[in-house]
Amino acid sequence: NILGKIIRFYNFKKFIDFSQQLFTENAIYSSVSTKWIPSNQDYMFMFDSVPKINFSNLNLSCYAKGDSSVIYNTKGEYYPLDNKWQGKGGKIEWRRANLDPLSVYAELNNYSIDVKSSEYSADSVIFYNKNFFSKPLMGELTEKIIAKMPNGEISYPKFSSYENRLEIKNLVKDINYAGGFSMSGDKVIGSGSKEEDAYLFFYRKDTLLVKASAKAYIINEDRIASAKTAISIYLGTDSIYHPS
């Protein structure tokens, strides 16, 4: 008898409070600052040494700081006594950064969330940015709901590729890129590693003219910027170099 087992639990009151919250607010977690809301009531109460609630298919939304984030088409189990969501699968979109959800998104594998927080990370996600890559990338995702910046800047979701020797031909005309790839909200970031920089190669009539080396570049529609960059300018068989 599931109820009998739960009653014997020392924190039975916490389970009752959670159940009331689920039934009245449709929330698996609700505090003054943070709410986690499933998109439907298709769930089952279960007991596996501790009580848990199984969700077979849902969109899971987090509301905090006047903003929200959604994990689409996921499933998982919620452990109310530990405030833990153990999820499997799902999709994160970059809608908050005003990016096309058909072009920029990440597919989750197994992931875990402490729902007392409005922040979580997930490993081994499959990331798509069809504006730059024909194939998906594997890496780490971090999602966090923060108050909107006065300048409208959006910093999340964040993705960082595991691979740090990716190539983008014609990042803009006659400029190739080699290095790691990250996204922070709507910002595209070319990133190096501790061992090696990321590179920009500038060509003129298929001849390498300039090579830039840096740990990170911020890539916008109208400019590429880096705080500290080494530059090599090639002039025939000679070159000019500046380290910073």
Side-chain angles (χ1 to χ4, degrees), residues 69-71 90-94 96 104-113 119-128 137-144 155-162 181-183 185:
S69 174
V70 184
I71 305 173
K91 181 181 178 183
I92 298 292
E93 299 175 350
W94 264 250
R96 290 161 62 209
V104 182
Y105 59 93
E107 295 175 347
L108 300 174
N109 192 9
N110 297 327
Y111 64 99
S112 178
I113 300 175
E119 176 182 4
Y120 64 92
S121 296
D123 295 323
S124 302
V125 305
I126 306 299
F127 175 77
Y128 294 81
L137 309 178
M138 180 170 283
E140 180 181 11
L141 176 134
T142 302
E143 175 65 304
K144 181 179 182 180
S155 301
Y156 291 87
K158 288 185 177 181
F159 169 81
S160 296
S161 66
Y162 290 148
F181 184 89
S182 303
M183 284 203 70

Side-chain angles (χ1 to χ4, degrees), residues 18-194:
F18 155 75
S19 300
Q20 181 180 19
Q21 175 183 279
L22 180 64
F23 299 149
T24 59
E25 300 182 42
N26 191 37
I28 61 173
Y29 181 80
S30 180
S31 71
V32 174
S33 62
T34 305
K35 281 189 177 184
W36 288 88
I37 307 290
S39 60
N40 59 56
Q41 297 179 338
D42 183 15
Y43 50 77
M44 181 179 296
F45 283 79
M46 305 179 72
F47 193 94
D48 182 10
S49 75
V50 292
K52 64 182 181 179
I53 294 84
N54 180 274
F55 292 82
S56 59
N57 184 36
L58 77 159
N59 299 332
L60 183 60
S61 301
C62 178
Y63 297 89
K65 302 177 178 68
D67 204 353
S68 64
S69 174
V70 184
I71 305 173
Y72 295 95
N73 299 321
T74 189
K75 60 183 178 180
E77 296 172 336
Y78 181 63
Y79 295 82
L81 302 184
D82 296 321
N83 303 119
K84 295 289 189 196
W85 168 264
Q86 296 288 345
K88 184 175 183 180
K91 181 181 178 183
I92 298 292
E93 299 175 350
W94 264 250
R95 291 176 187 260
R96 290 161 62 209
N98 295 317
L99 297 178
D100 181 1
L102 298 178
S103 298
V104 182
Y105 59 93
E107 295 175 347
L108 300 174
N109 192 9
N110 297 327
Y111 64 99
S112 178
I113 300 175
D114 180 348
V115 297
K116 291 182 292 183
S117 172
S118 57
E119 176 182 4
Y120 64 92
S121 296
D123 295 323
S124 302
V125 305
I126 306 299
F127 175 77
Y128 294 81
N129 188 323
K130 298 178 182 179
N131 301 317
F132 292 99
F133 301 100
S134 59
K135 296 180 180 179
L137 309 178
M138 180 170 283
E140 180 181 11
L141 176 134
T142 302
E143 175 65 304
K144 181 179 182 180
I145 301 177
I146 59 176
K148 291 184 178 179
M149 303 296 288
N151 60 3
E153 181 179 330
I154 302 295
S155 301
Y156 291 87
K158 288 185 177 181
F159 169 81
S160 296
S161 66
Y162 290 148
E163 188 176 349
N164 58 19
R165 293 267 56 88
L166 299 164
E167 291 188 0
I168 304 175
K169 300 290 187 182
N170 285 309
L171 178 64
V172 295
K173 188 178 186 306
D174 295 329
I175 301 177
N176 296 344
Y177 169 77
F181 184 89
S182 303
M183 284 203 70
S184 179
D186 59 353
K187 286 188 178 65
V188 176
I189 300 172
S191 52
S193 64
K194 291 181 180 179

